Structures are given as structure tokens and as C-alpha cells.
Amino acid sequence: MTSQVSSPAEQADEAVVGEQRKPAGTKNVRRLDRVIIRFAGDSGDGMQLTGDRFTSETASFGNDLSTLPNFPAEIRAPAGTLPGVSSFQLHFADHDILTPGDAPNVLVAMNPAALKANIGDLPRGAEIIVNTDEFTKRAMQKVGYDSSPLEDGSLDGYSLHPVPLTALTVEALKEFDLTRKEAERSKNMFALGLLSWMYHRPTEGTEKFLTSKFAKKPDIAAANIAAFRAGWNFGETTEDFAVSYEIAPATTAFPVGTYRNISGNLALSYGLVAASRQADLPLYLGSYPITPASDILHELSKHKNFGVRTFQAEDEIAGIGAALGAAFGGSLAVTTTSGPGVALKSETIGLAVSLELPLLVIDIQRGGPSTGLPTKTEQADLLQAMFGRNGEAPVPIVAPRTPADCFDAALEAARIALTYRTPVMLLSDGYLANGSEPWRIPELDELPDLTVQFAQGPNHTLEDGSEVFWPYKRDPQTLARPWAIPGTPGLEHRIGGIEKEDGTGNISYAPANHDFMVRTRQAKIDGIEVPDLVVDDPHGARTLVLGWGSTYGPITAAVRRLRNAGELIAQAHLRHLNPFPRNLGVVLGSYEKVVIPEMNLGQLATLVRAKYLVDAHSYNQVNGMPFKAEQLAKALKEAIDG
């Protein structure tokens, strides 16, 4: 969905609540500037679909938003259990926001497990909508409730709305030829309709979506639409919901343009397609399905009309091998994976370093080690990306900061790979991949020119005057070797992983040549042109918070909170992690304290300390979830005062 908005304005990531009433005889309407909603239930209750539809309508309405899907790794976790709870959190506002929010204002709990798993995150006074039909004695005992939390007073500090969602859904669908079990499946649409009424969300898009999704099952489509409308009508007529809420469009939050809601993996996919078009090269993806990277394979498979070829290989090694072969053949080659797959691909990444061919290695990081936490987020693959290969095999590293920024990061990774003839690692993570936010669709003239020139003929003259092609004769500025397409007459050359002789590319075991080639490959990476690091320091602070990747939103929200409280703090965020921006050392030396928050045990801090001899302080979290802004603000305040 797309929407038009106007010019930007700096606003704090904080709420200011006012109230507006409708004329007498109608329900009260309270105007908010933001709200955080969490849908939670069994992984089979459709919470991700419900959250996604609410998000789409919120995006079309023009709010700024940020989302956090959270679901089990199992395809179908045990029903009614705490490990089986799936949730979707959405933070939307009438101003610029940066995170999915620290604590929900509203929890929709479809069963006792959903309530118990999420109640600890709710502030006192939050609204809780519970599906009372699921609070049976057995279901409550399964998650450790000795008595009903709906009746024992344990929820007295919250605004509780008990709603028999299942029974109301079945009643609304009694005219349809459905079994009770089939009708019950639509209870998530009833909940979506109720929340859509509460927050004045548009409804047309959801009804069109349901009609399209179940086009081959029109009875199911009609039943889901009926349940959705019944939920809306229930909100309008019940006495339990005396107030609805308005959150105005974010008309001053963004530059003028056409916007759509986009997830990180979708933005990455579009960025790769755009890069191939800007380079005038076919896009080839050699991949093996792995959470949370598989969506990129799914999406790119839909775009054959743009010259995209996707190959789902039998394993990770075959996927990158095919991609490297496509790079040799003249394609913009990509392989997508997560941390375990990077480990399997490491030998072929080293081969790509030796062959000096452009290759994009997309690592959507997740919790580890080994299989770890497939559906949870982490950014602990940085040192693997830097050093996880045998021998001296340097690789550039690029990291996006937000879901929408994944589009630009893909273009930047392609620029480096094509210009310098090297594999490039792009480090996204599960938080960015599955989260979403508004994205301004760029104009074509805003995209970089990535056109490449293939080798066309001889490029070197021997002492006897004959002209030959040297596959490792380098561009004096970039140190990139020529890209010779197989089958081009006169450009035949050796290919393989054994060390090459400088210039000729012939096999060489000479010690001096190996030393020269190792140092030259490193110099090529060190010489990559990347923008200087931009520091946000409006007041001359003594403390700098330095981040990379998906910590950008929580860090920026925390910095805003501190500045609103009168604290002085500077912020900088790295996109390029190898090579670092050339001014990074000067920036770090300009501050008395440097704090580096990371969702690992201090990997960037380790690199910074080693390279710049700066006593950077780590603030670390590895619980599978992104930082909370309030948590970071407290830690940064302690650093400022310490």
C-alpha cells in the first residue's frame, strides 16, 4: 500500500496524549499520538497474518510504523503452550518513530499461554483483550495457572476486556456451510475487525486482501470477511468498549514522495533487482532455504520479467558454487543464507576472493551458535564475516540499519562488488528481515549508475611486442582485475583456487608472488572508497554511542530520550564495517567515552579496540530480542555519569 506525505520534522519518540469527543449520542474518541499493540496466540492462530493486515492498513492510512514479529521456530509448536506462543507487535504514530516500542499499550491474548507469556511486558494500566472461550481449566493448568487470572484479581491493575472471540465468531458465521472448527479459524479476523474499529483503521484493503487470498475458495473468503465485519460491529455496539482512538497520519514525518510498507527482506530483494537493472546485468540467486533468509529466495523467484534467475540448490555449498559460476559468466551473482550457511559457504567465499569476482553474500543473522535460535535476532556474525575463512581472505562488509535501508544497502554492496571485483558480505538480521516500516519509493534518477565494462581484448604488451590478455592486470586506482566473460575470443585464462601469478594468472608457488598477491588483495579492500562517518553531535558531547546494523533504531530512540532530558550525547552509526570509514579513528579520538551497544558479546568493540587502541565500552545483549529504548537510555546515562 502507498500513501503521500509531506516534508519532515524532528520529533521526539515520546507520547503526548490529548482527548477529543464525538457529538453526544456516540462513543468517545480519544486522540493519541502513538500506540503499541501486540497480537498474541498460538502459532496456528494467525497472529502474523493479523498483525500484517493491521500494519498494511496503518501504512495506507499514513502513520509512521515499526513492527516486531516474534514466532516459534517449529512449524507447529504444541498448542496452548508457552513455547508455542506467536506474537506480532506494532508501534504506529503521527510522528517519526524508530522502534517497535518497549512495552505494549494493548495486548490481544487469544489464550492463557499468550497472556502468561506477554503479561510481564505490559505496563500497569495497559488494555488487555482476552478470548475468554480459551480460558478452560485444562488450558490454564497447561501454563501453570492455578486459578483463572480473569477472576482472581491478578489483572486488576490493567484495563481488562473479556471477549468470547471464538463464540462470537462462530455465531457470526452460522449462515455459512462450515464446521465449528472451520468457523473458529476466523477468530483472528474477528479480533482484527475489533482492533480496526478501536483505532479507526481502513477496512477496504483487508477485504480486498481476503478476497484475493482465498480466490479459489470464495466461501472461505466470504466467511473471513463476515468475521472481520462482525468484529468491527461488535466494537461499535458493545458497552465494554466505550472509547475508540485516533492516531492521525504522520503528515510531517517524512520527505514528500510515494510510500509503501516494506519489510527488510522485501527491501533487500527490491534492492538486488534494482542493482541488476542499474548494472545492466542479469541477476542470479543461488540459494538454499534457511530461516530467516528464505523470503528473499521466494520474492526474487517472482521477478523473471526483470531477468532474475533463482536456483534453489540441494545445499548451501551448491548454492554459492552456482552463484560464483554465474559471476564468472557475467551475472550479478547473489547467495543468501544465515550464520550456519555462511560457515558452509566459507571455502567458496575464499575461492571468490582468490578469483576476484563480484559476488554478494547476504547473511540474515540469527541467534546461534549452530542451529541456535532460528526465528530470533542477533548480530553475532561480524567476526565470522571478517575472519571466517582460511588464509588471508579479506571481504568488504556492509550492514543496513533499518528495514527500508536494506534497499540502499543492497545497492551499496553491489557497487563495491562490481567496482572492486570482490565478494561482499551484507549483514542484515532477523529483526530487520521480518520487521517493517514505511519506505519512500525512489525515483529512477536517484539510483546509482552501476554499469560495468567487461574485458574486450588484449590488455598487455609483451617485450616482443605481442599483445596478450592478462586476467590479473589491475586497474591502478581500484586494483580490480578485468572481468572477462567466458567464450570471448582471446580472453582465455586459468580459473581455480591455487595461487595465481601476478598479471598472468598462471599457477604460482613462488613465495614472493604469494606475499605480493596476499598484500595486494588486502590493499584492494583497504582502498575501497566509502563515505566518511557522520556524527550527530549538536551540543558538543563528551560521550559517543557507536552502533552498527539494526541497533540504529533503539540507539537513536534512546539518544532522543536523553537529549530531551537535557543530557549531552553524540551518536554515530556504521554502515561499512570493512573497510571502516577513513575518519573513524579521528572521530573516536574526539570523545572521552565511546559506548558500543551490540546484540553480541562485543564484536565491533573488539575490532575498534584492536584497530584504534580506543577503550570502547561494550553494552551487550544476546537474548534473541532487539534492545529496548528505555533500557539503552538507562545504560547510556550511566556511561555519561560514570
Side-chain angles (χ1 to χ4, degrees):
M1 300 229 175
T2 60
S3 59
Q4 296 285 339
V5 300
S6 60
S7 60
E10 287 291 328
Q11 301 191 43
D13 192 29
E14 300 294 336
V16 178
V17 180
E19 186 168 327
Q20 172 183 305
R21 296 182 181 274
K22 283 187 176 181
T26 62
K27 292 191 176 185
N28 292 337
V29 178
R30 184 173 299 162
R31 179 164 292 169
L32 308 177
D33 77 338
R34 66 168 182 161
V35 73
I36 303 165
I37 299 174
R38 183 180 296 176
F39 299 92
D42 270 334
S43 56
D45 281 341
M47 294 297 94
Q48 302 305 316
L49 174 62
T50 304
D52 182 68
R53 288 315 313 158
F54 196 94
T55 298
S56 294
E57 297 301 348
T58 296
S60 69
F61 188 70
N63 295 119
D64 191 14
L65 61 89
S66 179
T67 68
L68 178 62
N70 186 14
F71 43 88
E74 292 82 5
I75 293 174
R76 186 66 175 91
T81 64
L82 294 175
V85 173
S86 173
S87 68
F88 188 105
Q89 183 162 307
L90 167 67
H91 182 190
F92 61 104
D94 66 1
H95 59 274
D96 176 25
I97 58 173
L98 300 154
T99 74
D102 289 358
N105 307 114
V106 181
L107 171 66
V108 180
M110 303 297 282
N111 61 17
L115 178 64
K116 186 153 193 176
N118 292 281
I119 190 66
D121 293 337
L122 267 62
R124 290 290 171 170
E127 294 194 76
I128 304 175
I129 301 171
V130 295
N131 180 13
T132 56
D133 291 326
E134 296 298 321
F135 278 72
T136 64
K137 185 176 181 179
R138 183 183 178 197
M140 289 187 288
Q141 289 177 340
K142 190 181 289 189
V143 295
Y145 280 128
D146 295 326
S147 60
S148 173
L150 309 184
E151 300 171 354
D152 63 9
S154 60
L155 301 179
D156 286 351
Y158 306 95
S159 178
L160 180 64
H161 301 280
V163 180
L165 287 172
T166 305
L168 289 171
T169 303
V170 171
E171 176 65 21
L173 302 184
K174 63 182 181 180
E175 64 184 73
F176 293 88
D177 186 21
L178 300 173
T179 66
R180 181 179 177 85
K181 187 174 182 179
E182 289 171 335
E184 288 178 358
R185 289 175 184 162
S186 296
K187 62 181 181 288
N188 63 323
M189 287 297 106
F190 189 99
L192 178 60
L194 173 57
L195 268 292
S196 297
W197 171 82
M198 284 181 65
Y199 291 96
H200 296 213
R201 300 296 92 186
T203 60
E204 295 83 1
T206 293
E207 294 192 7
K208 288 180 180 178
F209 168 82
L210 292 170
T211 300
S212 174
K213 180 177 177 62
F214 298 107
K216 295 182 179 179
K217 298 180 179 179
D219 290 345
I220 299 297
N224 277 281
I225 292 171
F228 176 66
R229 291 174 177 173
W232 176 282
N233 294 334
F234 178 77
E236 182 72 36
T237 58
T238 183
E239 296 291 330
D240 193 37
F241 293 92
V243 178
S244 64
Y245 303 92
E246 284 185 351
I247 296 90
T251 55
T252 59
F254 309 110
V256 173
T258 302
Y259 285 77
R260 60 156 293 162
N261 183 50
I262 201 165
S263 68
N265 274 350
L266 184 58
L268 240 173
S269 301
Y270 288 174
L272 293 172
V273 174
S276 75
R277 302 295 285 183
Q278 293 302 106
D280 196 23
L281 297 175
L283 179 66
Y284 184 94
L285 174 66
S287 185
Y288 180 76
I290 184 171
T291 301
S294 300
D295 287 342
I296 301 173
L297 172 61
H298 300 160
E299 181 60 33
L300 288 180
S301 68
K302 303 174 184 177
H303 297 290
K304 297 180 179 67
N305 56 315
F306 287 116
V308 178
R309 293 183 180 180
T310 53
F311 169 55
Q312 180 176 321
E314 65 269 30
D315 55 41
E316 296 280 3
I317 298 171
I320 190 173
L324 185 57
F328 179 57
S331 292
L332 176 59
V334 185
T335 190
T336 53
T337 189
S338 191
V342 174
L344 293 166
K345 296 177 189 291
S346 62
E347 183 181 2
T348 308
I349 297 173
L351 177 59
V353 171
S354 176
L355 298 181
E356 300 188 47
L357 287 170
L359 174 68
L360 302 186
V361 181
I362 311 294
D363 176 9
I364 313 298
Q365 300 166 94
R366 70 191 203 187
S370 187
T371 306
L373 305 174
T375 61
K376 309 302 180 184
T377 195
E378 205 165 273
Q379 49 178 181
D381 294 352
L382 176 55
L383 295 184
Q384 181 186 34
M386 284 286 292
F387 306 120
R389 293 163 295 283
N390 63 294
E392 296 287 345
V395 170
I397 304 171
V398 174
R401 60 177 59 181
T402 69
D405 187 50
C406 290
F407 178 86
D408 295 316
L411 286 164
E412 175 63 0
R415 177 192 72 86
I416 293 172
L418 295 172
T419 303
Y420 296 90
R421 309 285 196 267
T422 177
V424 176
M425 295 282 292
L426 190 152
L427 297 183
S428 179
D429 61 44
Y431 172 34
L432 297 182
N434 296 319
S436 61
E437 66 176 352
W439 171 58
R440 187 180 70 85
I441 302 172
E443 301 295 333
L444 286 177
D445 59 9
E446 296 173 358
L447 301 180
D449 182 2
L450 301 179
T451 306
V452 296
Q453 294 295 325
F454 294 117
Q456 299 297 322
N459 61 357
H460 184 74
T461 303
L462 300 176
E463 292 182 359
D464 63 4
S466 58
E467 294 185 336
V468 296
F469 173 68
W470 273 15
Y472 282 82
K473 184 168 185 174
R474 302 178 183 278
D475 181 292
Q477 291 201 324
T478 65
L479 298 182
R481 79 174 186 92
W483 194 356
I485 300 301
T488 306
L491 303 190
E492 299 85 356
H493 60 281
R494 289 182 179 273
I495 201 78
I498 299 178
E499 184 62 281
K500 314 294 185 298
E501 183 180 63
D502 176 42
T504 68
N506 294 329
I507 292 174
S508 173
Y509 295 95
N513 178 78
H514 179 59
D515 183 272
F516 178 81
M517 292 296 280
V518 167
R519 294 179 186 276
T520 300
R521 287 189 289 260
Q522 183 65 57
K524 180 173 71 169
I525 304 306
D526 292 342
I528 292 173
E529 288 290 334
V530 303
D532 279 350
L533 181 65
V534 176
V535 182
D536 176 18
D537 185 7
H539 305 114
R542 295 184 300 171
T543 301
L544 171 72
V545 54
L546 179 68
W548 70 277
S550 66
T551 57
Y552 173 78
I555 289 175
T556 306
V559 166
R560 286 183 180 181
R561 294 186 184 202
L562 290 171
R563 288 177 180 170
N564 289 340
E567 301 290 342
L568 304 183
I569 188 166
Q571 177 187 0
H573 209 78
L574 289 166
R575 161 168 282 178
H576 298 89
L577 297 154
N578 192 33
F580 285 130
R582 284 172 172 72
N583 69 332
L584 178 56
V586 173
V587 167
L588 295 172
S590 302
Y591 292 90
E592 294 180 12
K593 299 176 183 176
V594 177
V595 183
I596 304 180
E598 299 181 79
M599 292 188 293
N600 56 49
L601 294 184
Q603 297 189 13
L604 175 60
T606 297
L607 296 175
V608 165
R609 291 191 190 108
K611 186 173 180 65
Y612 300 104
L613 302 181
V614 170
D615 186 21
H617 300 275
S618 284
Y619 183 73
N620 307 117
Q621 173 177 295
V622 282
N623 62 7
M625 299 294 288
F627 284 111
K628 293 182 178 180
E630 184 61 33
Q631 164 197 4
L632 271 183
K634 182 179 179 181
L636 296 176
K637 178 67 166 63
E638 292 174 355
I640 293 171
D641 295 341

